[in-house]
Amino acid sequence: SVATRWIQVNLCPFSSLRERERMIKAMRTWAEINLNTYVVPLYQAWQQDGFLCLQMHLCEGGSLLSYIEHLEKEYLWKEKHLWRCIGDVMTALAH
């Protein structure tokens, strides 16, 4: 069994059919690269009351955003952290 979490992606209901289609296209792309070891696994995506919801693997280390916020809060943010984040993102994109 794998720990999962679900999140609501958009903060407001879809404002147009075009926005909804754009989000669905993004989820299909994510599903295509889902087996990459550098991408958080997406298990399921659905629309509910105009919102896009995702069920994805729960990362014990937290999100990139929580990592950055922690560094900023503790005044630990240094250039080396930025380069690590950029490197991780580029590695994921390269695969």
Side-chain angles (χ1 to χ4, degrees):
S1 143
V2 175
T4 63
R5 68 179 285 195
W6 80 271
I7 60 170
Q8 177 181 305
V9 177
N10 46 332
L11 300 177
C12 302
F14 296 121
S15 60
S16 68
L17 182 59
R18 184 176 181 182
E19 179 188 8
R20 178 182 174 273
E21 289 172 353
R22 184 180 59 81
M23 295 289 265
I24 290 172
K25 182 179 178 182
M27 292 306 100
R28 286 189 178 133
T29 301
W30 189 353
E32 289 174 12
I33 61 171
N34 210 18
L35 299 177
N36 183 324
T37 57
Y38 295 98
V39 176
V40 176
L42 173 65
Y43 297 116
Q44 166 173 266
W46 68 96
Q47 180 183 328
Q48 182 174 322
D49 301 324
F51 294 95
L52 179 64
C53 301
L54 308 176
Q55 182 181 17
M56 53 198 283
H57 183 81
L58 177 63
C59 298
E60 292 183 26
S63 68
L64 177 58
L65 178 60
S66 65
Y67 173 71
I68 291 170
E69 288 173 341
H70 167 74
L71 292 174
E72 288 177 340
K73 180 180 173 186
E74 301 296 325
Y75 302 103
L76 299 173
W77 187 249
K78 295 185 169 112
E79 185 177 351
K80 69 179 181 178
H81 297 109
L82 175 63
W83 286 113
R84 179 178 175 202
C85 291
I86 291 171
D88 287 349
V89 170
M90 292 189 72
T91 301
L93 292 173
H95 289 82

